[in-house]
Amino acid sequence: MAEKRENRQKRLIDFKRMDDETNAQLYARGQRWVGAVDKRNKRYVALAELLEKLNHGKHIQNRTLQTHLTKEQFAAMEAAWAQQMLIRSGSKQKPAVIKQYETLLNRVQLQDVKAKELLKRGHLEGAKQLDDQVAAKLTALLNFIREAVSEDDTMEAWLDRPLPASAAVVSLDAMPRCITSTSKSSLVVRKTKTDIKWEAIQAAMRELE
């Protein structure tokens, strides 16, 4: 850690003159550089103060966060909270395509259970046939949900993880679950509005480090 600080200090001091740069130009460039660093540091401190308020249970309004977060950071925070609202909505707002995906995934899971039961009983050929069917259905199901997301990207907000990059290596455990699912395989974590704000501020501070 000490070595890292020392290297950072060396970089700050090492402000070399550019080719054919006059003293006035060097000074002006230095002022802009110092100003940029100072602005970044002030923003970092402001974010740290907001984080401290949240840690002490104080409320921070969205308009305050808009002042200290970039547009992209604020949009990401709102998207994270929107997904939490979907999680809480249960099946009330769940799109038909997501319900269909869940139904199909449940059927494949049941087939996978049957394959494992056959394997335990020593029916190797039957288990292998079911395993092959499960793999084929998972590939088809992944293509189904990938096409649904490509047609309407809001569908992705209903999934608990990004879609697997390749259908060729997909497994049952890797398949996304609906964010309202109570399955043990679900990756959904329920968060409060304060949790979402805290994570947004933390992410913004990391970008400044």
Side-chain angles (χ1 to χ4, degrees):
M1 182 65 73
E3 182 180 351
K4 187 176 181 180
R5 272 200 305 270
E6 184 179 346
N7 290 337
R8 185 180 301 171
Q9 289 173 351
K10 287 180 179 178
R11 287 199 301 271
L12 293 177
I13 295 171
D14 189 18
F15 192 74
K16 296 179 179 179
R17 183 191 299 274
M18 298 175 67
D19 294 340
D20 300 324
E21 189 174 37
T22 65
N23 288 338
Q25 290 170 332
L26 176 63
Y27 177 78
R29 185 163 62 88
Q31 289 298 101
R32 289 195 300 271
W33 183 81
V34 170
V37 172
D38 188 49
K39 184 178 180 180
R40 183 196 66 185
N41 290 341
K42 285 180 178 178
R43 182 165 173 251
Y44 188 92
V45 170
L47 289 168
E49 289 175 346
L50 292 180
L51 201 63
E52 187 70 12
K53 288 181 179 179
L54 286 179
N55 288 337
H56 285 82
K58 295 182 180 179
H59 175 67
I60 297 177
Q61 295 183 341
N62 277 355
R63 65 186 180 203
T64 300
L65 289 168
Q66 280 182 300
T67 301
H68 298 286
L69 298 177
T70 65
K71 289 182 180 180
E72 293 77 13
Q73 290 165 350
F74 187 80
M77 184 193 75
E78 288 197 311
W81 179 242
Q83 188 178 56
Q84 288 294 317
M85 295 299 290
L86 290 179
I87 293 171
R88 289 161 173 76
S89 73
S91 60
K92 295 177 183 177
Q93 301 178 35
K94 193 183 300 182
V97 69
I98 297 297
K99 291 180 180 179
Q100 184 179 356
Y101 172 77
E102 278 192 297
T103 299
L104 294 172
L105 183 59
N106 287 336
R107 289 176 184 171
V108 178
Q109 287 177 314
L110 289 174
Q111 201 166 9
D112 183 67
V113 170
K114 290 180 181 178
K116 287 181 171 59
E117 288 176 350
L118 285 175
L119 186 62
K120 285 182 181 179
R121 295 202 298 265
H123 301 297
L124 302 184
E125 187 176 345
K128 177 66 168 57
Q129 289 178 350
L130 277 181
D131 276 337
D132 291 342
Q133 291 176 23
V134 166
K137 289 181 179 180
L138 285 177
T139 298
L141 186 53
L142 180 57
N143 290 333
F144 167 79
I145 193 62
R146 184 176 282 136
E147 184 178 348
V149 169
S150 67
E151 291 177 357
D152 183 356
D153 58 7
T154 63
M155 295 299 105
E156 198 165 11
W158 286 93
L159 304 176
D160 69 346
R161 73 198 80 183
L163 294 172
S166 172
V169 294
V170 69
S171 67
L172 191 54
D173 289 338
M175 292 296 289
R177 268 62 178 180
C178 177
I179 56 176
T180 60
S181 173
T182 57
S183 167
K184 292 180 180 179
S185 300
S186 175
L187 301 181
V188 166
V189 177
R190 290 179 177 267
K191 300 174 184 178
T192 66
K193 190 66 177 288
T194 298
D195 292 333
I196 299 295
K197 291 178 178 179
W198 193 91
E199 290 178 356
I201 294 171
Q202 276 276 19
M205 291 174 69
R206 284 196 296 271
E207 288 186 20
L208 294 172
E209 290 174 351

